[in-house]
Amino acid sequence: MPSPKHAPDARILVVDDEEANVALLERLLGMAGYRNVVSTTDPRNVRELLHEFRPDLILLDLLMPHLDGFAVMELLASEVPVDSYLPVLVLTADATRETRRRALAGGAKDFLTKPLDVDEVLLRIANMLDIRYLHLQLLGEKEALEDRVQERTKELEDSYIDTFERLALAAEYRDDDTGQHTLRVGRMAALLAQELGLPTKDVELLTRAAGLHDVGKIGIPDDILLAPRKLTIEEFEVVKTHTVIGAKILAGSRSPLLSMAEEIAWSHHERWDGRGYGGLAGEEIPLFGRITTVADVFDALTHKRPYKEAWPLDEAVAEISRQRGEQFDPRVVDAFVAVHDEVVATATAASPST
């Protein structure tokens, strides 16, 4: 019989308590060109061999001490991933119908009775290995396709986020001539979140999501947004709509980052005491919004705007502490105080690279 195409690479594990049976199978496999064969006469070794040898096929006897073939198949069911398709060929002297049914129901892919027909054994082995390698090939192609889909999805998501960030930057340039307010707020919010012990993934998302908090300003008229004076009640009501506008711009995305940004957009002008734009109070306000509020206010206080001069840093820090439990979540203020030096360094950074 010609050497099967998978013979050089196929890893075959033989499990049989009879030394003579093992020797016979090793000789048959060797003559057929299979060189990567490992055998054991103690089925208790199967778990260790399964992980060390990583077989492509198992030739399994049923009637064995310590663990019979059925118990070995139960072990395989618990140890082998469902999608890996590790075939088991049962070789046994028990030819009863019930044994065959039980073996096939227990996970065996095929069943042969002893004494064995050499040609039939080798043909069954070759066929099962063909299926095994085809399965692995399809699994590899599936994983490669999933990787490409994930990569493309990430590219599209990054493109969407980049568009929103540019929109937020365009809105910010209207009343911050450096255009860096969004960057600073994102960095400060991340520092506060990290101090609060939030998961690393949330901290990373917040770095970008918090920067989109004022994207709704794109919908506020210049004569109101840039007015170098105190706004009228009517004008201030218009300004307040930027939270709603921002949330609508960011709404409807499946991106965790944009979902977080939407939450921040509508909630970053809420106050802990309930006297904010929407009247939410305390922990009714989303945590990411409460964090961003502190970062946003501190940065706004310490930088010049058309309607005000920049506050001295010490006065701005004192104002944040003074508003603990009133405008701001006490825990977030405590985090602000704990990382005061880093926050101040971020607020006074001159460029994205500093």
Side-chain angles (χ1 to χ4, degrees):
M1 176 178 290
S3 177
K5 60 183 178 181
H6 299 305
D9 301 316
R11 297 184 297 272
I12 300 177
L13 174 61
V14 177
V15 184
D16 194 313
D17 64 313
E18 294 290 340
E19 293 278 3
N21 292 339
V22 169
L24 173 62
L25 288 170
E26 288 178 342
R27 185 166 65 255
L28 292 177
L29 292 169
M31 291 173 60
Y34 294 102
R35 304 299 180 193
N36 204 358
V37 178
V38 168
S39 303
T40 181
T41 56
D42 188 342
R44 292 173 295 183
N45 295 330
V46 169
R47 177 182 276 108
E48 182 179 353
L49 290 170
L50 185 65
H51 296 289
E52 290 184 358
F53 182 53
R54 295 168 54 220
D56 295 305
L57 170 67
I58 297 178
L59 305 183
L60 179 65
D61 186 26
L62 289 182
L63 303 178
M64 297 180 291
H66 308 300
L67 288 175
D68 64 17
F70 300 110
V72 170
M73 284 188 281
E74 289 180 8
L75 169 67
L76 295 175
S78 65
E79 297 284 334
V80 178
V82 176
D83 63 352
S84 68
Y85 186 81
L86 174 58
V88 174
L89 174 57
V90 167
L91 307 174
T92 181
D94 186 348
T96 63
R97 181 176 180 181
E98 175 57 25
T99 298
R100 178 186 295 270
R101 185 204 62 78
R102 186 180 172 194
L104 294 174
K109 299 303 180 185
D110 211 340
F111 186 102
L112 291 175
T113 56
K114 302 173 183 176
L116 301 173
D117 180 290
V118 173
D119 289 338
E120 184 177 14
V121 170
L122 294 178
L123 285 171
R124 297 289 180 95
I125 288 174
N127 289 341
M128 294 176 79
L129 287 172
D130 279 343
I131 297 173
R132 160 76 171 174
Y133 282 103
L134 178 60
H135 179 88
L136 292 178
Q137 180 183 347
L138 292 175
L139 186 62
E141 291 175 356
K142 177 175 176 288
E143 290 174 350
L145 180 59
E146 289 175 349
D147 288 342
R148 287 197 295 271
V149 170
Q150 290 179 1
E151 182 180 348
R152 181 57 180 155
T153 300
K154 186 178 185 304
E155 289 175 357
L156 289 172
E157 182 176 331
D158 287 344
S159 176
Y160 295 149
I161 293 169
D162 182 64
T163 298
F164 284 120
E165 286 178 334
R166 291 174 184 273
L167 186 62
L169 191 61
E172 198 58 46
Y173 263 116
R174 299 166 69 203
D175 62 346
D176 171 21
D177 56 11
T178 68
Q180 292 181 40
H181 172 67
T182 57
L183 297 173
R184 293 190 300 263
V185 169
R187 290 171 179 168
M188 284 189 279
L191 286 171
L192 299 178
Q194 189 171 33
E195 179 63 24
L196 287 167
L198 270 63
T200 300
K201 183 177 180 180
D202 286 344
V203 174
E204 292 173 351
L205 288 175
L206 188 59
T207 304
R208 298 181 73 179
L212 299 175
H213 65 286
D214 273 341
V215 68
K217 282 184 176 179
I218 202 77
I220 306 302
D222 284 351
D223 60 337
I224 296 178
L225 185 66
L226 304 180
R229 55 175 171 76
K230 184 176 180 178
L231 298 178
T232 66
I233 294 176
E234 292 77 13
E235 288 173 332
F236 186 59
E237 289 299 317
V238 174
V239 169
K240 286 167 63 175
T241 64
H242 82 275
T243 58
V244 177
I245 294 170
K248 287 182 177 179
I249 289 173
L250 296 164
S253 173
R254 290 179 293 179
S255 162
L257 193 155
L258 294 180
S259 294
M260 182 187 290
E262 177 191 356
E263 182 180 88
I264 291 170
W266 65 258
S267 66
H268 74 282
H269 279 291
E270 300 301 323
R271 291 175 54 106
W272 185 256
D273 59 14
R275 295 188 291 118
Y277 285 11
L280 297 181
E283 295 191 1
E284 293 178 331
I285 308 165
L287 177 58
F288 298 121
R290 302 194 315 258
I291 292 171
T292 303
T293 297
V294 173
D296 182 35
V297 170
F298 182 71
D299 193 74
L301 289 175
T302 54
H303 289 84
K304 182 179 179 180
R305 292 295 174 89
Y307 48 86
K308 73 167 194 64
E309 294 297 321
W311 286 32
L313 285 170
D314 57 344
E315 291 184 20
V317 170
E319 178 65 13
I320 297 296
S321 297
R322 188 161 45 247
Q323 291 296 331
R324 184 183 185 277
E326 294 186 24
Q327 184 174 0
F328 307 126
D329 178 346
R331 285 200 312 134
V332 179
V333 173
D334 292 344
F336 173 88
V337 172
V339 293
H340 163 269
D341 291 342
E342 294 94 326
V343 171
V344 169
T346 299
T348 55
S351 70
S353 60
T354 59

